[in-house]
Amino acid sequence: MTATDAPVPGQPADRPGYRFYVLAILILIYMLNFLDRQIIGILAAPLKEHFGMSDTQFGLLGGIAFASVYSTLAIPLAWLADRYSRVWIMTGALAVWSGFTALCGVAGSFTQLFLFRMGVGVGEAGGVAPAYSLVADYFPPHQRARALAAFAFGIPLGTAAGTLVGGLLAATWGWQTAFIVVGVLGLLVAPLLRLTVKDPVRGGTDAARATPVVATPVAAAPVVAAPANDGRAGKRAAQGLLGLAAGLLVLAALAQFGVIGANALVLVFAGLLAGVIGGSLMVARVTATAVMPKPSFWLLAFGAASSSVCGYGVAGWLPLFFMRSFDLTLTQVSWYYSGIALIGGILGIWGGGAIADKLAKRGKGAYPLTPAIAFLISAPCFILAMNSPWLIGLIFPGGGTQFQQLTVAFLIFLIPTGLNLAWLGPVTAAVQHLVPAPMRSTASALFLLINNLLGIAVGFFYFGWMSDLLAPRFGDESLRWAIYTGMGFYMLASILLIGASRTLKKDWVD
């Protein structure tokens, strides 16, 4: 650590050992976040059988049910985190999403399960953006991408744990037990977060200022004043969305009474979603006004979202693909896919953060350019891994044994699984530097609104919908072809992030 990067003396971030302890706790919380979020993927087969769901319905359950509230409520919760205790907000969020995960285990109908998944999204809305801000305030700028990459280890750890633990519990005691056990685990961890993690001074590890930050003895960390703006642009965007919401609800009423031919329920849902986003933007109008004029924000957000369509979608559907196309049992898939998610994810996330931090010394554009290159490699690797029998057939007549096919597929799947997550450290670090320190939680939530609303909702739904669409022609292999079609989103993500690499230097805030 250099002198210019030194944290404010006497603050929690000034103690290196404690700083890494906090990072470890945040990784654990993020792991639980993804465990509860992704467990539904490994439970696809028993849930579809129990509730008689099509692939499209399961796509709605895993996507829009969660993403609609997770993405939108993250903004007002992050706005609160920029003003009050981030630790308190994260503790409450952990308790809420864990409680609703446990309730999923007692759902008696598709509707109840859909609503409980929405409840999981409500809780998880307060779990990520405040954590980004905490990491940024515990680690100086030159370590930030690596620290955020380490925080993102929670994704492969949670995905692997959700796949392994959820799958094994479901195979032995049923899917209900899987939901209840992982939900209760989160409830037990919540007090550890609240009692052992402190809020640091906001911006305390940023580059030295003319006027140093002075600590004040309050429950929440002090907020350093940000450059003033009137929030006018953000307010106009919020008003536009609120107007759209009102119009959609009017159309829903007309559809309900048969005046127009449309699905009233879809219009009501869309209207409520637009209303919640509009209300959230109204709360976050000052930060929205700060980021909306910056091309880098939109390129980073839509670039990450495009990759997340595949990232979340493929991760959610691969367990079912392995069962359909590789003839694996639920228990076998639990072990097989958890290994891919854990090894590939950790290597990719850490590699992305470390490479971006190193290359960024030559220019800020390295932060988005690193994952852009990774995505260009991911798509062909995914397709190659899914066709391991053909690949083995080039060497052994008849395609080799199932063990050989699975081994080759496992090794190749590690590559795109890692590259798919390489954006997390670099891109989230770049987003932190689009605004001053007091706006970081809210800026992260605005970024996550776009990334998750498109990535989770569209990604999870797209592959299920496309699988049903292709089923008449391809049968049980329809999911394979659905995944093929989704690889184009990686190409789009690369193009957008290459664009961000050209604008980031101008939009950067130290």
Side-chain angles (χ1 to χ4, degrees):
M1 183 182 300
T2 65
T4 57
D5 287 327
V8 178
Q11 296 306 307
D14 195 34
R15 306 198 301 272
Y18 181 70
R19 181 189 310 158
F20 286 102
Y21 167 80
V22 170
L23 181 60
I25 293 296
L26 293 178
I27 292 172
L28 173 61
I29 303 304
Y30 204 19
M31 171 183 162
L32 293 173
N33 182 297
F34 256 79
L35 192 161
D36 290 4
R37 185 187 311 185
Q38 294 296 105
I39 189 175
I40 196 168
I42 192 63
L43 301 181
L47 286 173
K48 281 169 55 63
E49 180 182 358
H50 184 88
F51 293 107
M53 288 184 280
S54 66
D55 283 355
T56 300
Q57 286 178 307
F58 185 71
L60 289 171
L61 182 67
I64 196 68
F66 176 88
S68 59
V69 288
Y70 171 68
S71 304
T72 53
L73 293 182
I75 295 176
L77 289 174
W79 181 86
L80 289 173
D82 275 335
R83 286 152 179 79
Y84 303 101
S85 171
R86 290 164 286 189
V87 175
W88 263 115
I89 289 171
M90 288 185 64
T91 302
L94 173 58
V96 170
W97 89 60
S98 299
F100 274 105
T101 298
L103 285 175
C104 287
V106 299
S109 66
F110 173 81
T111 301
Q112 286 183 353
L113 187 58
F114 190 95
L115 293 174
F116 290 151
R117 284 294 295 174
M118 290 184 73
V120 175
V122 170
E124 294 201 11
V128 181
Y132 282 163
S133 178
L134 284 172
V135 172
D137 283 340
Y138 269 101
F139 289 87
H142 73 285
Q143 296 177 346
R144 213 161 269 165
R146 278 170 290 176
L148 285 164
F151 170 68
F153 283 167
I155 296 177
L157 289 170
T159 301
T163 300
L164 182 61
V165 176
L168 295 181
L169 287 173
T172 306
W173 289 290
W175 61 268
Q176 295 93 338
T177 301
F179 276 126
I180 293 171
V181 168
V182 299
V184 170
L185 177 62
L187 292 173
L188 295 175
V189 172
L192 178 68
L193 170 65
R194 174 64 193 93
L195 296 174
T196 65
V197 174
K198 298 177 181 179
D199 265 293
V201 170
R202 299 174 197 262
T205 58
D206 289 347
R209 304 171 178 79
T211 304
V213 178
V214 179
T216 56
V218 294
V223 177
V224 182
N229 71 61
D230 58 9
R232 193 171 300 171
K235 183 178 181 180
R236 285 197 297 266
Q239 289 172 336
L241 282 167
L242 291 172
L244 174 63
L248 289 170
L249 293 176
V250 169
L251 290 176
L254 294 175
Q256 182 65 28
F257 290 105
V259 178
I260 60 173
N263 189 311
L265 184 60
V266 171
L267 289 172
V268 168
F269 189 87
L272 291 175
L273 183 60
V276 173
I277 296 175
S280 298
L281 276 181
M282 186 64 75
V283 171
R285 59 188 179 275
V286 174
T287 302
T289 298
V291 298
M292 284 171 57
K294 296 187 175 185
S296 299
F297 173 78
W298 300 105
L299 291 167
L300 290 169
F302 282 104
S306 297
S307 74
S308 293
V309 169
C310 279
Y312 284 115
V314 172
W317 286 100
L318 270 182
L320 195 58
F321 165 78
F322 288 135
M323 297 177 74
R324 289 181 180 177
S325 299
F326 282 26
D327 296 321
L328 298 181
T329 66
L330 178 60
T331 300
Q332 289 171 328
V333 170
S334 300
W335 286 103
Y336 188 74
Y337 185 51
S338 63
I340 293 173
L342 181 63
I343 299 172
I346 288 179
L347 291 176
I349 289 172
W350 184 252
I355 292 171
D357 265 342
K358 184 174 182 178
L359 295 180
K361 296 176 182 177
R362 302 179 183 178
K364 306 300 184 186
Y367 285 112
L369 192 59
T370 300
I373 295 171
F375 294 144
L376 290 174
I377 304 171
S378 291
C381 287
F382 262 124
I383 295 173
L384 194 62
M386 294 169 66
N387 288 276
S388 60
W390 168 81
L391 188 61
I392 288 290
L394 298 177
I395 305 173
F396 300 101
T401 65
Q402 185 189 41
F403 176 78
Q404 290 171 326
Q405 294 171 7
L406 291 173
T407 301
V408 170
F410 184 95
L411 295 174
I412 300 176
F413 265 121
L414 292 177
I415 300 172
T417 299
L419 294 176
N420 170 56
L421 297 174
W423 69 268
L424 286 160
V427 172
T428 53
V431 171
Q432 298 297 301
H433 286 279
L434 294 177
V435 294
M439 295 182 177
R440 284 176 180 158
S441 289
T442 309
S444 296
L446 289 168
F447 165 80
L448 291 171
L449 168 68
I450 298 171
N451 179 60
N452 292 322
L453 194 57
L454 293 178
I456 301 177
V458 175
F460 218 106
F461 173 77
Y462 172 82
F463 292 104
W465 169 75
M466 184 59 70
S467 176
D468 280 341
L469 188 67
L470 298 175
R473 179 174 181 181
F474 296 104
D476 285 344
E477 288 293 295
S478 63
L479 187 54
R480 173 193 295 273
W481 288 91
I483 294 174
Y484 288 165
T485 67
M487 293 297 107
F489 288 103
Y490 278 136
M491 303 299 104
L492 177 59
S494 293
I495 293 171
L496 292 169
L497 291 178
I498 289 171
S501 71
R502 298 175 178 271
T503 63
L504 189 57
K505 181 179 180 180
K506 179 182 177 182
D507 295 335
W508 191 270
V509 177
D510 285 315

